[in-house]
Amino acid sequence: MAAPTVLRRQLFPLARILSGLSHLKPRSLTVCSGHRRCAVSRFPPPLTPSASFHTATPLSSSAITVTEEPDVLFQKVLVLVKSHDRAVLDSYEFFATTAAQELGITVGKVFEPQKDIERVTLLKSVHIFKNHRVQYEMRTHFRCIELSHITGSTAKVYLEYVQRNLPEGVAMEVTKTAMEKVPDHILKPMWEDLPADDKPSQ
Amino acid sequence: MAASLSSAGTVRVLLSDFQSTLARSSLLCSSSGSRGLHVTAACCKNRAARTRVGKGEKPLTYEQAFHPHHIGHCKGWLSQHTSNLKGEEGAAERTMEDVFIRKFMFGTFHGSLANEIVLKRRGNMLIVCALMIQKMSPLKFYFLIGYTETLLSHFYKCPVKLEVQTLQDKAVYKYI
């Protein structure tokens, strides 16, 4: 059952983050958080050398709002990260699981789906020599972190933190399974409420 | 031993390419006394990103010393983005951007690049990491860095950051 009052932290909205964040196309200016006020002709001030791209933007609308509507409950939040480098995924998994433990989120299971290799066989020479070929391959390694029984606002905060610190060359896909209250009209079977029929119809 | 020689030769060639070595191995496996004439297609060795061996006077950086099949083992990636992963799009556009940025950097900092440029894409941001030789005064370097950042961010409509490290000379790994 959802709690009646929820303290919700209103974070700066990040477009397209919740449904699969991969490399964002550089064409769209609006995606970059904090740069909404900038016109197309003006580019943001130079960032400090060691900063990741979130620290330079002041959160203008970071008000804490208290709403009456119940928070969304997620049974399972699946975070799948993909990369070409397994070592990067190892360190990112350590970072994400530690962050979840610090925030008090229950980490379900952390597993590694099998890597996917895409191979291409091409002719080695520009002209003839059909018997001599060259093979290239692209390996994609995966890592899946499953968080269970998490509220909507916690999920938002955690995902934003974890996504702002995504290393370069790493893509993330988030799948959320929400829980909803069973509608009242199907709680009880219909035949219990009907008046008892004396004779069955023939 | 003729047999061991032929097996070593076959293994070495198979490692680098996909070619058929039947003609070569049959020649070597024949009786040690006779030599036959055989004609095969040209043994096309791989030439991608490999410096041809010289007399010991060619200096190579770590990047140049290792061949492309060492990427992931002892070499890193020069251009890091997500479009080559499974289920991701935009590989061609990123590659075109990369090529342009490398040519642009090579031309702007002419003669002062010590190594290949590393491109990283984090979210919307493009980070260009470059190693430079201290050929010009720092003032000129700063101007060129600002110029590059401004121009590239206007071209690609995204924040572009340049991370530059300077060296006295090129870092040589070995001589070939």
Side-chain angles (χ1 to χ4, degrees):
Chain A
M1 284 304 183
T5 349
V6 171
L7 195 73
R8 193 185 290 190
R9 174 157 289 154
Q10 200 77 23
L11 288 171
F12 201 92
L14 293 167
R16 285 195 283 145
I17 275 210
L18 293 177
S19 57
L21 173 82
S22 59
H23 168 68
L24 302 170
K25 288 186 193 151
R27 300 281 167 266
S28 52
L29 254 186
T30 53
V31 177
C32 195
S33 62
H35 297 302
R36 221 162 49 163
R37 278 168 291 152
C38 297
V40 174
S41 56
R42 190 166 70 91
F43 67 99
L47 305 167
T48 55
S50 58
S52 49
F53 66 95
H54 68 281
T55 54
T57 65
L59 295 172
S60 55
S61 59
S62 61
I64 299 172
T65 53
V66 179
T67 47
E68 285 294 329
E69 57 179 80
D71 203 358
V72 189
L73 293 178
F74 293 116
Q75 190 182 56
K76 196 167 63 163
V77 170
L78 218 64
V79 173
L80 176 76
V81 267
K82 311 184 254 187
S83 174
H84 289 299
D85 199 352
R86 213 165 157 259
V88 167
L89 288 179
D90 287 340
S91 88
Y92 187 73
E93 172 208 317
F94 174 71
F95 159 76
T97 45
T98 317
Q101 277 158 18
E102 291 297 317
L103 287 174
I105 300 170
T106 44
V107 179
K109 50 179 172 151
V110 181
F111 61 100
E112 187 182 354
Q114 219 193 19
K115 68 173 186 271
D116 175 83
I117 305 179
E118 188 190 325
R119 283 199 191 93
V120 183
T121 315
L122 304 169
L123 295 174
K124 192 191 286 191
S125 172
V126 164
H127 182 55
I128 52 172
F129 301 122
K130 191 61 172 265
N131 291 341
H132 300 211
R133 305 203 189 202
V134 103
Q135 282 187 320
Y136 296 105
E137 65 179 30
M138 283 178 280
R139 297 185 180 184
T140 310
H141 300 269
F142 301 94
R143 205 57 66 98
C144 205
I145 301 168
E146 193 182 304
L147 315 165
S148 49
H149 302 296
I150 186 173
T151 56
S153 21
T154 320
K156 253 193 210 175
V157 171
Y158 176 76
L159 285 173
E160 175 166 354
Y161 176 61
V162 135
Q163 281 160 8
R164 280 186 186 276
N165 291 299
L166 257 184
E168 52 278 342
V170 175
M172 186 197 278
E173 275 177 13
V174 176
T175 318
K176 294 179 183 172
T177 315
M179 289 197 287
E180 278 184 6
K181 189 169 174 298
V182 178
D184 289 329
H185 63 272
I186 61 171
L187 264 179
K188 291 196 314 187
M190 271 183 69
W191 51 81
E192 285 183 15
D193 291 339
L194 284 175
D197 288 330
D198 292 333
K199 288 179 191 142
S201 55
Q202 296 193 354
Chain B
M1 298 280 283
S4 60
L5 268 175
S6 69
S7 61
T10 328
V11 160
R12 179 176 51 81
V13 170
L14 271 173
L15 271 177
S16 58
D17 54 48
F18 201 93
Q19 70 179 48
S20 55
T21 55
L22 297 170
R24 281 182 81 203
S25 51
S26 64
L27 166 73
L28 292 165
C29 285
S30 60
S31 58
S32 47
S34 67
R35 287 189 192 188
L37 174 71
H38 79 285
V39 181
T40 51
C43 181
C44 306
K45 296 224 131 289
N46 277 348
R47 301 192 66 93
R50 284 156 228 254
T51 329
R52 296 292 121 187
V53 174
K55 294 276 193 294
E57 81 286 0
K58 263 191 251 186
L60 288 186
T61 57
Y62 187 89
E63 186 69 39
Q64 293 163 335
F66 288 95
H67 298 158
H69 61 265
H70 287 120
I71 291 175
H73 296 270
C74 20
K75 259 175 103 162
W77 283 264
L78 281 181
S79 164
Q80 288 164 351
H81 54 274
T82 57
S83 43
N84 280 323
L85 295 167
K86 185 176 178 204
E88 306 289 338
E89 302 160 343
E93 286 96 24
R94 302 294 95 75
T95 318
M96 288 302 297
E97 287 165 19
D98 287 355
V99 170
F100 176 79
I101 291 168
R102 282 176 210 280
K103 284 196 181 290
F104 186 87
M105 294 290 291
F106 180 73
T108 321
F109 299 91
H110 188 73
S112 12
L113 286 180
N115 207 346
E116 297 284 338
I117 287 163
V118 175
L119 291 165
K120 299 183 186 180
R121 283 183 177 84
R122 230 180 270 155
N124 203 17
M125 212 158 65
L126 217 167
I127 301 160
V128 182
C129 313
L131 272 175
M132 311 269 183
I133 303 171
Q134 290 158 4
K135 219 178 102 167
M136 298 182 281
S137 69
L139 213 62
K140 296 187 183 170
F141 262 120
Y142 283 131
F143 168 74
L144 285 178
I145 290 168
Y147 159 83
T148 317
E149 283 187 356
T150 325
L151 237 67
L152 286 178
S153 46
H154 274 271
F155 285 155
Y156 293 121
K157 307 285 183 281
C158 66
V160 175
K161 254 175 42 61
L162 223 67
E163 281 173 17
V164 172
Q165 272 185 305
T166 49
L167 306 165
Q168 285 286 343
D169 296 303
K170 271 195 188 181
V172 178
Y173 178 69
K174 68 180 187 182
Y175 288 92
I176 268 196

